Amino acid sequence: MRGPVSEAKRVLVIGELNVDMIVSGLASLPVLGHEILAEDCVTVLGSSSAICAAGMARLGVQVGFVGKVGADDRGRFVRGALDRLGVRTQHLITDPRHSTGITISLSLPVDRAMVTILGCIQELRVEDVDIRVLGEYRHLHVGSYYLQRGLQSGLTQLIDVAHEAGMTVSLDTGCDPLGRWHDGRILDVIRLVDIFMPNEMEACAIAQVDSVDAALDRLSDLGPLVVVKLGAEGAITRWDGDVLHSPAFPVEVVDTTGAGDSFDAGFIYSYVVRDLPISAALQYANGCGALSTQGYGGTAAQPQLRELEAFLTARSGTDAPVA
């Protein structure tokens, strides 16, 4: 990894911002020409990047966020939610020309179906980012690459500037809703970042292979530390030439929304901010992912540090891992 690691290291997140409107208690999905009933509808903070930022803030990290919202009620809701969660919002950009993004989630017992309106999400561009802000932070996390269409063309330039400012950089692309995965830029971006954290499906799709082991090898060969999230199976990485697997912590799951983003938060906190060994960092990350599933939505059950370390101690029978 590039750059110094400090206990007080600040993290800047550049990502998408939207609200999630979750419709629950459906017996089936809607059918054209028919009406169905739901039991509830709630509006919560969405955005994989925002969930990751909130998870780090819960652990005590000073986190800033660069993203776009509209001059609308949804934008004010997002800004207020981030403020309450302890994420610095002075770098948010209000765009009066476009609406704040929204995802409508139709939740059924077996799965969910989602409809997303990108709005401002696809309007953030590198020239919107005040480069002077980078000097206030020591690590940059970029989320939801495939949704941030306006940012893609200038992202390699931004990462170069971040490295010149002494920052380390992590990336979580998220899913490509168009199913293309290769846009002529993504591999160049991965080559530049210090940490890449895809899930198993994303890793295989980007590496164009069928197995997670092959994906891990191919993506690691591009240069970054690659950590692949395996859901209920934990996570794997390649370290000192060997594959290191860290199993997940079994829990009674309430809602998996944002579990991978909470994993990202735990890994950045432990590996980048705390400079813990890789094996300990994976345990912290898996703990964050597991605990986040204990409430509805991405941020409701994210742990504070004392809760996370108590959980890890209880599960291992020893003190939480330290440097």
Side-chain angles (χ1 to χ4, degrees):
M1 293 183 60
R2 307 171 180 89
V5 176
S6 167
E7 189 72 18
K9 191 174 218 179
R10 294 179 174 181
V11 176
L12 181 66
V13 177
I14 296 181
E16 85 289 12
L17 289 169
N18 63 275
V19 299
D20 280 353
M21 181 178 291
I22 303 173
V23 181
S24 60
L26 295 166
S28 64
L29 290 175
V31 177
L32 290 177
H34 295 269
E35 182 177 7
I36 61 174
L37 300 179
E39 293 180 0
D40 199 8
C41 179
V42 296
T43 299
V44 298
L45 177 66
S47 159
S48 294
S49 302
I51 293 170
C52 178
M56 287 188 281
R58 287 280 288 178
L59 294 172
V61 181
Q62 296 183 59
V63 185
F65 202 105
V66 174
K68 274 193 176 183
V69 294
D72 51 24
D73 288 342
R74 295 200 297 267
R76 288 183 283 274
F77 178 92
V78 166
R79 187 182 291 270
L82 289 173
D83 282 332
R84 288 190 297 274
L85 291 164
V87 178
R88 303 171 73 187
T89 58
Q90 62 263 48
H91 309 313
L92 297 193
I93 301 164
T94 299
D95 184 347
R97 300 168 302 167
H98 301 92
S99 62
T100 304
I102 182 172
T103 293
I104 302 169
S105 177
L106 304 179
S107 179
L108 279 72
V110 293
D111 207 342
R112 55 183 178 159
M114 294 174 288
V115 178
T116 294
I117 301 170
L118 290 176
C120 285
I121 290 173
Q122 62 185 345
E123 300 302 326
L124 182 68
R125 289 167 171 77
V126 167
E127 50 265 32
D128 294 320
V129 181
D130 184 350
I131 300 302
R132 294 171 296 179
V133 169
L134 300 181
E136 302 176 20
Y137 299 87
R138 290 296 176 264
H139 181 78
L140 170 65
H141 178 68
V142 180
S144 294
Y145 169 87
Y146 290 108
L147 298 183
Q148 296 197 84
R149 297 173 180 174
L151 189 69
Q152 291 170 2
S153 63
L155 190 53
T156 54
Q157 174 191 352
L158 181 63
I159 294 171
D160 283 337
V161 173
H163 281 148
E164 290 172 3
M167 303 178 80
T168 51
V169 183
S170 57
L171 171 71
D172 185 345
T173 60
C175 184
D176 182 358
L178 300 179
R180 296 173 180 171
W181 297 104
H182 284 261
D183 60 358
R185 303 185 186 100
I186 185 58
L187 296 184
D188 291 333
V189 173
I190 294 172
R191 287 187 181 96
L192 287 179
V193 301
D194 300 282
I195 305 169
F196 180 39
M197 296 180 287
N199 65 26
E200 181 176 0
M201 182 273 290
E202 294 157 359
C204 290
I206 293 170
Q208 298 182 307
V209 295
D210 295 327
S211 75
V212 67
D213 291 332
L216 179 62
D217 288 342
R218 182 164 295 184
L219 295 172
S220 296
D221 286 345
L222 295 177
L225 171 65
V226 179
V227 179
V228 181
K229 295 168 283 190
L230 305 176
E233 300 302 318
I236 60 170
T237 188
R238 194 168 76 179
W239 187 255
D240 286 339
D242 297 322
V243 173
L244 176 62
H245 174 245
S246 183
F249 296 102
V251 293
E252 291 292 328
V253 173
V254 174
D255 179 18
T256 61
T257 300
D261 309 311
S262 292
F263 176 102
D264 290 354
F267 191 82
I268 295 170
Y269 165 78
S270 54
Y271 188 70
V272 176
V273 176
R274 288 276 301 275
D275 197 23
L276 294 185
I278 187 72
S279 58
L282 290 172
Q283 290 182 54
Y284 271 75
N286 278 326
C288 285
L291 288 171
S292 76
T293 69
Q294 303 303 284
Y296 287 101
T299 63
Q302 289 179 315
Q304 293 183 350
L305 180 58
R306 65 178 183 274
E307 296 168 331
L308 173 60
E309 293 190 332
F311 174 82
L312 295 176
T313 297
R315 291 305 177 103
S316 67
T318 60
D319 289 341
V322 295

